[in-house]
């Protein structure tokens, strides 16, 4: 988890909007294995090991997820080991919940959607010593997952919910323009381009395979969704220090982006980003 602590900038809490909070809580507890850390009538904070990872909010007059818009492609929960991924895989297979899966060379991943169509990745990293770097870009691919090997790793261990040590590993966004998104997250926020797919860029700090995915798979020029649509409300970036947060804010302001008094800023595609620091 060295890539998700200072001196790196990394992903913190992801805040999503849902149509029905009760339905979503049932899913995130039963299927994903989250703990409910705080709850009100319209909002809940979920996590593992007492650490918050995800905020769910039911907006007034919520409407279903809108297609062909910018916003969340998926958020990705990073498990502390391949053994834990095996336990989760067995759990999800026993539930019969629909999933996708992939071996990305740098990581092994399981994909699913919540009841509102918000994308979720549950993954485990391969040791970074085995990642293949060429000219400052890391090799990633989408290959068939070794499900049998992952299940064997878990042995007879039972899934008991998200383990302590689970973190928000990365977030992947639908954007309207890759050039503008790269400038915002690169020149403005200090992320390096580390890999690319057709119509997608991957960016990180500190040599991680990616803290951010950016794609135009919903169409170049895709509009933001309506305010009351389910999907992404905002996500947090955690800076190593107050000084580095202020420097990033200044760079964004110089690029023409307004960082408000609550340290939030809207990217060129309408995605809201909170600039945070470790408490």
């Amino acid at each position: 988890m060295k890539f998700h602590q200072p001196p790196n900038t990394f992903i913190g809490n992801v805040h999503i909007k849902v149509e029905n909070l009760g339905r979503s809580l049932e899913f995130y507890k039963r299927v994903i294995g989250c703990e409910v850390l705080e709850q009100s009538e319209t909002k809940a904070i979920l996590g593992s090991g007492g650490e918050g990872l995800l905020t769910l909010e039911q907006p007034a007059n919520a409407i279903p997820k809108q297609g062909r818009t910018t916003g969340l492609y998926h958020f990705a929960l990073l498990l502390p080991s391949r053994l834990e991924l095996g336990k989760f895989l067995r759990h999800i297979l026993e539930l019969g919940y629909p999933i996708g899966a992939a071996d990305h060379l740098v990581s092994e991943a399981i994909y699913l959607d919540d009841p509102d169509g918000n994308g979720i990745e549950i993954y485990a990293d391969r040791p970074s010593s085995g990642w293949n770097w060429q000219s400052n870009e890391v090799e990633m691919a989408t290959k068939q997952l070794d499900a049998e090997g992952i299940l064997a790793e878990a042995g007879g261990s039972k899934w008991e919910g998200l383990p302590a040590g689970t973190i928000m590993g990365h977030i992947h966004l639908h954007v309207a323009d890759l050039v503008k998104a790269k400038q915002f997250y690169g020149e403005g926020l200090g992320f390096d381009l580390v890999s690319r797919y057709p119509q997608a860029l991957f960016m990180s700090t500190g040599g991680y395979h990616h803290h951010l995915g950016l794609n135009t798979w919903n169409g170049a020029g895709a509009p933001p969704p309506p305010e009351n649509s389910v999907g992404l409300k905002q996500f947090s970036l955690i800076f190593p220090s107050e000084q580095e947060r202020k420097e990033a804010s200044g760079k964004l302001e110089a690029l023409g982006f307004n960082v408000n008094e609550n340290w939030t800023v809207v990217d060129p595609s309408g995605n809201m980003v909170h600039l945070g620091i470790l408490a």
Side-chain angles (χ1 to χ4, degrees):
M1 307 295 177
K2 65 181 179 179
F3 300 107
H4 302 85
Q5 59 189 27
N8 303 311
T9 301
F10 51 94
I11 309 300
N13 181 275
V14 172
H15 189 151
I16 60 173
K17 294 172 285 185
V18 299
E19 265 197 281
N20 183 302
L21 183 61
R23 179 182 68 178
S24 293
L25 283 172
E26 170 64 17
F27 166 83
Y28 280 99
K29 288 188 291 184
R30 184 176 68 91
V31 178
I32 304 299
C34 293
E35 299 172 5
V36 179
L37 304 178
E38 294 181 30
Q39 184 179 346
S40 68
E41 276 190 32
T42 59
K43 190 184 289 189
I45 298 175
L46 311 181
S48 71
E51 295 294 321
L53 299 167
L54 184 69
T55 300
L56 306 179
E57 182 175 347
Q58 180 181 322
N61 304 311
I63 61 173
K65 187 177 177 71
Q66 304 295 291
R68 312 297 287 176
T69 59
T70 60
L72 183 70
Y73 180 54
H74 64 242
F75 63 84
L77 295 171
L78 175 56
L79 300 177
S81 68
R82 193 174 195 243
L83 181 150
E84 293 293 345
L85 187 65
K87 287 159 66 172
F88 178 75
L89 178 56
R90 179 178 290 116
H91 158 73
I92 206 79
L93 291 173
E94 288 172 352
L95 287 178
Y97 200 87
I99 59 169
D103 179 342
H104 294 305
L105 305 182
V106 294
S107 62
E108 296 174 295
I110 298 163
Y111 295 94
L112 64 162
D113 288 341
D114 78 2
D116 291 291
N118 292 307
I120 305 166
E121 176 180 346
I122 308 289
Y123 76 114
D125 278 336
R126 285 205 167 95
S128 58
S129 57
W131 301 350
N132 182 29
W133 289 85
Q134 300 279 346
S135 303
N136 298 319
E137 292 197 19
V138 65
E139 183 184 5
M140 295 198 291
T142 299
K143 298 188 172 185
Q144 185 171 331
L145 189 74
D146 176 16
E148 288 186 6
I150 292 171
L151 290 169
E153 189 90 24
S157 304
K158 196 95 172 125
W159 175 252
E160 295 178 345
L162 287 177
T166 300
I167 60 175
M168 191 62 71
H170 65 266
I171 191 167
H172 195 150
L173 303 171
H174 289 296
V175 299
D177 185 303
L178 285 178
V179 173
K180 290 179 180 178
K182 180 175 178 287
Q183 181 189 50
F184 178 88
Y185 290 103
E187 293 177 34
L189 290 168
F191 286 82
D192 302 313
L193 177 65
V194 291
S195 193
R196 59 189 95 203
Y197 279 12
Q199 297 179 286
L201 301 176
F202 297 89
M203 306 184 79
S204 75
T205 64
Y208 191 48
H209 57 70
H210 69 296
H211 293 103
L212 283 167
L214 308 164
N215 75 64
T216 53
W217 298 335
N218 271 351
E227 182 67 28
N228 60 332
S229 166
V230 303
L232 182 68
K233 179 168 183 176
Q234 69 173 42
F235 70 96
S236 291
L237 294 176
I238 308 300
F239 287 85
S241 69
E242 179 66 33
Q243 177 63 30
E244 284 166 284
R245 176 167 73 168
K246 286 180 178 175
E247 287 174 6
S249 176
K251 289 175 182 175
L252 288 173
E253 296 276 359
L255 290 171
F257 296 97
N258 176 51
V259 180
N260 71 20
E261 59 189 16
N262 296 319
W263 294 101
T264 59
V265 59
V266 178
D267 82 1
S269 302
N271 298 305
M272 188 179 294
V273 186
H274 175 253
L275 311 183
I277 55 173
L278 286 174

